[in-house]
Amino acid sequence: MKSYLAAVMPAPMVPVELRDFPEPTLEPGSVLLKTLYSEICGTDVHLWRGRLAGVPYPIIPGHVSVGVADKVHGVVRGVDGRWVAEGDRLAFFDVHRTCGRCRACTVTRTPTRCEARRVYGITDSADEGLFGGWAEAIYLEPGVSIAALPESVPAETYISGGCGLITAVHIIDRADLTLGDTVLVQGVGAVGLSAIALARLAGAVRVIAFGAPADRLALARDMGAEVIVDITTATPAERRDIVLDATDGLGVDVAIEAAGSARAVEEALTLVRDGGRYVIAGHYTDAGPSAINVHQLINRKHLEIRGCWGSEVGHFVRALRLLEQHQAAIPWRAIGAQTYALADVNRALADAEAMRVPKALVRPGSP
Ligand SMILES: [Zn+2]
Ligand SMILES: [Zn+2]
């Protein structure tokens, strides 16, 4: 029987190890995907540190991934409306089993809060099989949202945008930008970088990016930020002056949090104009409380604050269209700066945590 190699995270703070998995029995409507690429993002570092609740270790990490359909059982149709055939290059939405029937799915219309929802590489256990991207193959069970990778989009470009791009599509939905807005993006990781580019596409005339280190700030400029600010060298007072200088002393119309820092939230509220909006997306794990003078910074400023949790299938599908249309002008490919083999994922995790690379890619097929 055929078997596939996968990198397994046995438990938090335990080195990732390679294990063999038998070829899964394909249910009708399922696909066995030969993995071309997966990625290592901040979430994987959190997973390794044990910062996410309810993770069924051991897991095969790797949520957003791309591959080639190796086996298709029965008739499978993608969310892009196309029939899936063996040999197709496919991307899939990592969130699956969203039920469509519960209160979150139907009444409050917050499907990213559906309790049945599971995520490849995060809330799927390795005990169940090939449910993560750090593996030679991924089992796409029936019901997974699959889409063909547009012909013009290289797999490397898709994965370099990766989960950060899909999250950023959701953020820009939540940001409700108006043509001509000035936007502050806090954080220049994969999410912040894509948010910069998409804010420009959505009509922002100017984007100010706060972050570090220098190579990511350079990327932020390439992604469309006109003003970049190194938070490790510019003091809060200097940062405030930069923002006020760029906005006629008013503050930004919209701020986007993609930093995961409680201090960042405190700072942004002082930098958004009266009646402005703040979208918080980077607190994927609990960064602790922020100290805010609600009277001064929210009530009197007439501010709007919106959370942004996870993403939906539509964000995934629209991310594919955005890549197809804008990959020539927006350097998503440059985010995925380094590629690692399966055997090197521990080193990749360390590099990701130390922010030595904007994003680490995993290529299971490489030696
Ligand atoms: Zn539901
Ligand atoms: Zn991710």
PDB file of all heavy atoms in Angstrom, residues 77-102:
ATOM      1  N   ARG A  77     -17.244  19.052  -7.749  1.00  0.00           N
ATOM      2  CA  ARG A  77     -17.342  20.375  -8.379  1.00  0.00           C
ATOM      3  C   ARG A  77     -16.751  21.413  -7.446  1.00  0.00           C
ATOM      4  O   ARG A  77     -17.015  21.419  -6.251  1.00  0.00           O
ATOM      5  CB  ARG A  77     -18.799  20.705  -8.670  1.00  0.00           C
ATOM      6  CG  ARG A  77     -18.927  21.872  -9.614  1.00  0.00           C
ATOM      7  CD  ARG A  77     -20.344  22.027 -10.107  1.00  0.00           C
ATOM      8  NE  ARG A  77     -20.380  22.894 -11.279  1.00  0.00           N
ATOM      9  CZ  ARG A  77     -21.475  23.214 -11.921  1.00  0.00           C
ATOM     10  NH1 ARG A  77     -22.628  22.744 -11.525  1.00  0.00           N
ATOM     11  NH2 ARG A  77     -21.422  24.022 -12.968  1.00  0.00           N
ATOM     12  N   GLY A  78     -15.939  22.302  -8.009  1.00  0.00           N
ATOM     13  CA  GLY A  78     -15.306  23.342  -7.210  1.00  0.00           C
ATOM     14  C   GLY A  78     -16.267  24.481  -6.906  1.00  0.00           C
ATOM     15  O   GLY A  78     -17.311  24.616  -7.552  1.00  0.00           O
ATOM     16  N   VAL A  79     -15.907  25.312  -5.933  1.00  0.00           N
ATOM     17  CA  VAL A  79     -16.730  26.492  -5.622  1.00  0.00           C
ATOM     18  C   VAL A  79     -16.618  27.541  -6.728  1.00  0.00           C
ATOM     19  O   VAL A  79     -17.370  28.512  -6.745  1.00  0.00           O
ATOM     20  CB  VAL A  79     -16.363  27.144  -4.271  1.00  0.00           C
ATOM     21  CG1 VAL A  79     -16.941  26.366  -3.120  1.00  0.00           C
ATOM     22  CG2 VAL A  79     -14.863  27.316  -4.108  1.00  0.00           C
ATOM     23  N   ASP A  80     -15.686  27.341  -7.645  1.00  0.00           N
ATOM     24  CA  ASP A  80     -15.601  28.212  -8.812  1.00  0.00           C
ATOM     25  C   ASP A  80     -16.509  27.718  -9.932  1.00  0.00           C
ATOM     26  O   ASP A  80     -16.532  28.278 -11.025  1.00  0.00           O
ATOM     27  CB  ASP A  80     -14.143  28.297  -9.307  1.00  0.00           C
ATOM     28  CG  ASP A  80     -13.531  26.917  -9.545  1.00  0.00           C
ATOM     29  OD1 ASP A  80     -14.224  25.894  -9.322  1.00  0.00           O
ATOM     30  OD2 ASP A  80     -12.361  26.866  -9.951  1.00  0.00           O
ATOM     31  N   GLY A  81     -17.264  26.639  -9.654  1.00  0.00           N
ATOM     32  CA  GLY A  81     -18.218  26.127 -10.630  1.00  0.00           C
ATOM     33  C   GLY A  81     -17.637  25.107 -11.600  1.00  0.00           C
ATOM     34  O   GLY A  81     -18.347  24.553 -12.427  1.00  0.00           O
ATOM     35  N   ARG A  82     -16.338  24.861 -11.510  1.00  0.00           N
ATOM     36  CA  ARG A  82     -15.708  23.927 -12.452  1.00  0.00           C
ATOM     37  C   ARG A  82     -15.667  22.515 -11.890  1.00  0.00           C
ATOM     38  O   ARG A  82     -15.568  22.319 -10.689  1.00  0.00           O
ATOM     39  CB  ARG A  82     -14.273  24.363 -12.745  1.00  0.00           C
ATOM     40  CG  ARG A  82     -14.222  25.659 -13.503  1.00  0.00           C
ATOM     41  CD  ARG A  82     -12.785  26.048 -13.739  1.00  0.00           C
ATOM     42  NE  ARG A  82     -12.704  27.505 -13.808  1.00  0.00           N
ATOM     43  CZ  ARG A  82     -11.569  28.187 -13.859  1.00  0.00           C
ATOM     44  NH1 ARG A  82     -10.425  27.562 -13.833  1.00  0.00           N
ATOM     45  NH2 ARG A  82     -11.585  29.491 -13.933  1.00  0.00           N
ATOM     46  N   TRP A  83     -15.715  21.518 -12.795  1.00  0.00           N
ATOM     47  CA  TRP A  83     -15.567  20.124 -12.386  1.00  0.00           C
ATOM     48  C   TRP A  83     -14.097  19.848 -12.138  1.00  0.00           C
ATOM     49  O   TRP A  83     -13.242  20.320 -12.870  1.00  0.00           O
ATOM     50  CB  TRP A  83     -16.112  19.196 -13.465  1.00  0.00           C
ATOM     51  CG  TRP A  83     -17.552  19.496 -13.769  1.00  0.00           C
ATOM     52  CD1 TRP A  83     -18.027  20.164 -14.863  1.00  0.00           C
ATOM     53  CD2 TRP A  83     -18.685  19.195 -12.959  1.00  0.00           C
ATOM     54  NE1 TRP A  83     -19.391  20.296 -14.791  1.00  0.00           N
ATOM     55  CE2 TRP A  83     -19.826  19.706 -13.630  1.00  0.00           C
ATOM     56  CE3 TRP A  83     -18.863  18.553 -11.730  1.00  0.00           C
ATOM     57  CZ2 TRP A  83     -21.111  19.591 -13.107  1.00  0.00           C
ATOM     58  CZ3 TRP A  83     -20.145  18.432 -11.222  1.00  0.00           C
ATOM     59  CH2 TRP A  83     -21.246  18.942 -11.904  1.00  0.00           C
ATOM     60  N   VAL A  84     -13.845  19.092 -11.106  1.00  0.00           N
ATOM     61  CA  VAL A  84     -12.457  18.800 -10.741  1.00  0.00           C
ATOM     62  C   VAL A  84     -12.006  17.515 -11.429  1.00  0.00           C
ATOM     63  O   VAL A  84     -12.716  16.509 -11.393  1.00  0.00           O
ATOM     64  CB  VAL A  84     -12.337  18.656  -9.205  1.00  0.00           C
ATOM     65  CG1 VAL A  84     -10.945  18.197  -8.819  1.00  0.00           C
ATOM     66  CG2 VAL A  84     -12.688  19.982  -8.527  1.00  0.00           C
ATOM     67  N   ALA A  85     -10.856  17.565 -12.064  1.00  0.00           N
ATOM     68  CA  ALA A  85     -10.316  16.378 -12.744  1.00  0.00           C
ATOM     69  C   ALA A  85      -8.910  16.085 -12.238  1.00  0.00           C
ATOM     70  O   ALA A  85      -8.207  16.986 -11.766  1.00  0.00           O
ATOM     71  CB  ALA A  85     -10.293  16.615 -14.251  1.00  0.00           C
ATOM     72  N   GLU A  86      -8.533  14.815 -12.348  1.00  0.00           N
ATOM     73  CA  GLU A  86      -7.167  14.436 -11.953  1.00  0.00           C
ATOM     74  C   GLU A  86      -6.162  15.212 -12.799  1.00  0.00           C
ATOM     75  O   GLU A  86      -6.372  15.409 -13.992  1.00  0.00           O
ATOM     76  CB  GLU A  86      -6.985  12.919 -12.093  1.00  0.00           C
ATOM     77  CG  GLU A  86      -7.746  12.184 -10.995  1.00  0.00           C
ATOM     78  CD  GLU A  86      -7.812  10.676 -11.184  1.00  0.00           C
ATOM     79  OE1 GLU A  86      -7.177  10.151 -12.114  1.00  0.00           O
ATOM     80  OE2 GLU A  86      -8.525  10.029 -10.382  1.00  0.00           O
ATOM     81  N   GLY A  87      -5.112  15.694 -12.152  1.00  0.00           N
ATOM     82  CA  GLY A  87      -4.105  16.493 -12.849  1.00  0.00           C
ATOM     83  C   GLY A  87      -4.329  17.993 -12.720  1.00  0.00           C
ATOM     84  O   GLY A  87      -3.440  18.777 -13.036  1.00  0.00           O
ATOM     85  N   ASP A  88      -5.511  18.405 -12.249  1.00  0.00           N
ATOM     86  CA  ASP A  88      -5.784  19.840 -12.069  1.00  0.00           C
ATOM     87  C   ASP A  88      -4.927  20.410 -10.941  1.00  0.00           C
ATOM     88  O   ASP A  88      -4.737  19.762  -9.912  1.00  0.00           O
ATOM     89  CB  ASP A  88      -7.251  20.074 -11.674  1.00  0.00           C
ATOM     90  CG  ASP A  88      -8.200  19.919 -12.841  1.00  0.00           C
ATOM     91  OD1 ASP A  88      -7.715  19.732 -13.978  1.00  0.00           O
ATOM     92  OD2 ASP A  88      -9.427  19.975 -12.605  1.00  0.00           O
ATOM     93  N   ARG A  89      -4.474  21.643 -11.130  1.00  0.00           N
ATOM     94  CA  ARG A  89      -3.839  22.359 -10.013  1.00  0.00           C
ATOM     95  C   ARG A  89      -4.963  22.960  -9.176  1.00  0.00           C
ATOM     96  O   ARG A  89      -5.797  23.695  -9.680  1.00  0.00           O
ATOM     97  CB  ARG A  89      -2.931  23.477 -10.531  1.00  0.00           C
ATOM     98  CG  ARG A  89      -1.664  22.964 -11.215  1.00  0.00           C
ATOM     99  CD  ARG A  89      -0.727  24.114 -11.531  1.00  0.00           C
ATOM    100  NE  ARG A  89      -1.465  25.271 -12.006  1.00  0.00           N
ATOM    101  CZ  ARG A  89      -1.092  26.531 -11.797  1.00  0.00           C
ATOM    102  NH1 ARG A  89       0.004  26.800 -11.139  1.00  0.00           N
ATOM    103  NH2 ARG A  89      -1.810  27.527 -12.275  1.00  0.00           N
ATOM    104  N   LEU A  90      -4.959  22.631  -7.895  1.00  0.00           N
ATOM    105  CA  LEU A  90      -6.087  23.030  -7.045  1.00  0.00           C
ATOM    106  C   LEU A  90      -5.624  23.779  -5.809  1.00  0.00           C
ATOM    107  O   LEU A  90      -4.578  23.476  -5.231  1.00  0.00           O
ATOM    108  CB  LEU A  90      -6.857  21.795  -6.559  1.00  0.00           C
ATOM    109  CG  LEU A  90      -7.489  20.883  -7.601  1.00  0.00           C
ATOM    110  CD1 LEU A  90      -8.145  19.698  -6.889  1.00  0.00           C
ATOM    111  CD2 LEU A  90      -8.523  21.628  -8.436  1.00  0.00           C
ATOM    112  N   ALA A  91      -6.437  24.743  -5.431  1.00  0.00           N
ATOM    113  CA  ALA A  91      -6.334  25.333  -4.099  1.00  0.00           C
ATOM    114  C   ALA A  91      -7.614  24.963  -3.366  1.00  0.00           C
ATOM    115  O   ALA A  91      -8.606  24.586  -3.996  1.00  0.00           O
ATOM    116  CB  ALA A  91      -6.183  26.847  -4.207  1.00  0.00           C
ATOM    117  N   PHE A  92      -7.601  25.015  -2.065  1.00  0.00           N
ATOM    118  CA  PHE A  92      -8.823  24.715  -1.316  1.00  0.00           C
ATOM    119  C   PHE A  92      -8.901  25.619  -0.094  1.00  0.00           C
ATOM    120  O   PHE A  92      -7.884  26.116   0.394  1.00  0.00           O
ATOM    121  CB  PHE A  92      -8.878  23.238  -0.904  1.00  0.00           C
ATOM    122  CG  PHE A  92      -7.803  22.827   0.071  1.00  0.00           C
ATOM    123  CD1 PHE A  92      -8.061  22.775   1.440  1.00  0.00           C
ATOM    124  CD2 PHE A  92      -6.523  22.515  -0.374  1.00  0.00           C
ATOM    125  CE1 PHE A  92      -7.072  22.412   2.343  1.00  0.00           C
ATOM    126  CE2 PHE A  92      -5.519  22.151   0.529  1.00  0.00           C
ATOM    127  CZ  PHE A  92      -5.791  22.103   1.888  1.00  0.00           C
ATOM    128  N   PHE A  93     -10.129  25.837   0.366  1.00  0.00           N
ATOM    129  CA  PHE A  93     -10.324  26.666   1.545  1.00  0.00           C
ATOM    130  C   PHE A  93     -10.089  25.795   2.769  1.00  0.00           C
ATOM    131  O   PHE A  93     -10.710  24.734   2.908  1.00  0.00           O
ATOM    132  CB  PHE A  93     -11.732  27.245   1.531  1.00  0.00           C
ATOM    133  CG  PHE A  93     -11.968  28.254   2.611  1.00  0.00           C
ATOM    134  CD1 PHE A  93     -11.062  29.284   2.828  1.00  0.00           C
ATOM    135  CD2 PHE A  93     -13.098  28.188   3.408  1.00  0.00           C
ATOM    136  CE1 PHE A  93     -11.280  30.226   3.820  1.00  0.00           C
ATOM    137  CE2 PHE A  93     -13.321  29.126   4.402  1.00  0.00           C
ATOM    138  CZ  PHE A  93     -12.408  30.138   4.609  1.00  0.00           C
ATOM    139  N   ASP A  94      -9.172  26.236   3.628  1.00  0.00           N
ATOM    140  CA  ASP A  94      -8.760  25.385   4.755  1.00  0.00           C
ATOM    141  C   ASP A  94      -9.869  25.139   5.771  1.00  0.00           C
ATOM    142  O   ASP A  94      -9.859  24.151   6.496  1.00  0.00           O
ATOM    143  CB  ASP A  94      -7.515  25.976   5.447  1.00  0.00           C
ATOM    144  CG  ASP A  94      -7.700  27.415   5.907  1.00  0.00           C
ATOM    145  OD1 ASP A  94      -8.704  28.045   5.527  1.00  0.00           O
ATOM    146  OD2 ASP A  94      -6.837  27.919   6.655  1.00  0.00           O
ATOM    147  N   VAL A  95     -10.853  26.046   5.821  1.00  0.00           N
ATOM    148  CA  VAL A  95     -11.959  25.873   6.764  1.00  0.00           C
ATOM    149  C   VAL A  95     -12.988  24.931   6.142  1.00  0.00           C
ATOM    150  O   VAL A  95     -13.408  25.154   5.003  1.00  0.00           O
ATOM    151  CB  VAL A  95     -12.625  27.227   7.078  1.00  0.00           C
ATOM    152  CG1 VAL A  95     -13.800  27.030   8.027  1.00  0.00           C
ATOM    153  CG2 VAL A  95     -11.604  28.186   7.680  1.00  0.00           C
ATOM    154  N   HIS A  96     -13.366  23.893   6.861  1.00  0.00           N
ATOM    155  CA  HIS A  96     -14.375  22.967   6.353  1.00  0.00           C
ATOM    156  C   HIS A  96     -15.341  22.584   7.464  1.00  0.00           C
ATOM    157  O   HIS A  96     -15.117  22.906   8.628  1.00  0.00           O
ATOM    158  CB  HIS A  96     -13.715  21.753   5.703  1.00  0.00           C
ATOM    159  CG  HIS A  96     -12.840  20.937   6.605  1.00  0.00           C
ATOM    160  ND1 HIS A  96     -12.931  19.582   6.730  1.00  0.00           N
ATOM    161  CD2 HIS A  96     -11.851  21.304   7.470  1.00  0.00           C
ATOM    162  CE1 HIS A  96     -12.029  19.135   7.594  1.00  0.00           C
ATOM    163  NE2 HIS A  96     -11.366  20.162   8.063  1.00  0.00           N
ATOM    164  N   ARG A  97     -16.406  21.920   7.074  1.00  0.00           N
ATOM    165  CA  ARG A  97     -17.466  21.473   8.002  1.00  0.00           C
ATOM    166  C   ARG A  97     -18.235  22.613   8.649  1.00  0.00           C
ATOM    167  O   ARG A  97     -18.927  22.392   9.658  1.00  0.00           O
ATOM    168  CB  ARG A  97     -16.904  20.523   9.075  1.00  0.00           C
ATOM    169  CG  ARG A  97     -16.288  19.272   8.469  1.00  0.00           C
ATOM    170  CD  ARG A  97     -16.148  18.180   9.504  1.00  0.00           C
ATOM    171  NE  ARG A  97     -15.330  17.081   8.970  1.00  0.00           N
ATOM    172  CZ  ARG A  97     -15.060  15.964   9.626  1.00  0.00           C
ATOM    173  NH1 ARG A  97     -15.549  15.789  10.837  1.00  0.00           N
ATOM    174  NH2 ARG A  97     -14.323  15.022   9.080  1.00  0.00           N
ATOM    175  N   THR A  98     -18.113  23.838   8.163  1.00  0.00           N
ATOM    176  CA  THR A  98     -19.013  24.903   8.615  1.00  0.00           C
ATOM    177  C   THR A  98     -20.426  24.402   8.306  1.00  0.00           C
ATOM    178  O   THR A  98     -20.695  23.985   7.184  1.00  0.00           O
ATOM    179  CB  THR A  98     -18.700  26.212   7.863  1.00  0.00           C
ATOM    180  OG1 THR A  98     -17.339  26.550   8.119  1.00  0.00           O
ATOM    181  CG2 THR A  98     -19.606  27.344   8.325  1.00  0.00           C
ATOM    182  N   CYS A  99     -21.329  24.406   9.317  1.00  0.00           N
ATOM    183  CA  CYS A  99     -22.532  23.579   9.170  1.00  0.00           C
ATOM    184  C   CYS A  99     -23.629  24.213   8.326  1.00  0.00           C
ATOM    185  O   CYS A  99     -24.424  23.508   7.714  1.00  0.00           O
ATOM    186  CB  CYS A  99     -23.058  23.179  10.540  1.00  0.00           C
ATOM    187  SG  CYS A  99     -23.983  24.485  11.387  1.00  0.00           S
ATOM    188  N   GLY A 100     -23.704  25.538   8.315  1.00  0.00           N
ATOM    189  CA  GLY A 100     -24.753  26.188   7.524  1.00  0.00           C
ATOM    190  C   GLY A 100     -26.141  26.118   8.155  1.00  0.00           C
ATOM    191  O   GLY A 100     -27.120  26.545   7.543  1.00  0.00           O
ATOM    192  N   ARG A 101     -26.244  25.568   9.357  1.00  0.00           N
ATOM    193  CA  ARG A 101     -27.557  25.384   9.985  1.00  0.00           C
ATOM    194  C   ARG A 101     -27.650  25.991  11.378  1.00  0.00           C
ATOM    195  O   ARG A 101     -28.733  26.220  11.878  1.00  0.00           O
ATOM    196  CB  ARG A 101     -27.879  23.883  10.104  1.00  0.00           C
ATOM    197  CG  ARG A 101     -28.090  23.168   8.808  1.00  0.00           C
ATOM    198  CD  ARG A 101     -28.457  21.710   9.039  1.00  0.00           C
ATOM    199  NE  ARG A 101     -27.426  21.007   9.802  1.00  0.00           N
ATOM    200  CZ  ARG A 101     -26.337  20.458   9.276  1.00  0.00           C
ATOM    201  NH1 ARG A 101     -26.155  20.509   7.974  1.00  0.00           N
ATOM    202  NH2 ARG A 101     -25.435  19.848  10.021  1.00  0.00           N
ATOM    203  N   CYS A 102     -26.508  26.234  12.008  1.00  0.00           N
ATOM    204  CA  CYS A 102     -26.539  26.670  13.403  1.00  0.00           C
ATOM    205  C   CYS A 102     -26.895  28.155  13.500  1.00  0.00           C
ATOM    206  O   CYS A 102     -27.049  28.851  12.492  1.00  0.00           O
ATOM    207  CB  CYS A 102     -25.183  26.410  14.062  1.00  0.00           C
ATOM    208  SG  CYS A 102     -23.871  27.487  13.465  1.00  0.00           S
TER     209      CYS A 102
END
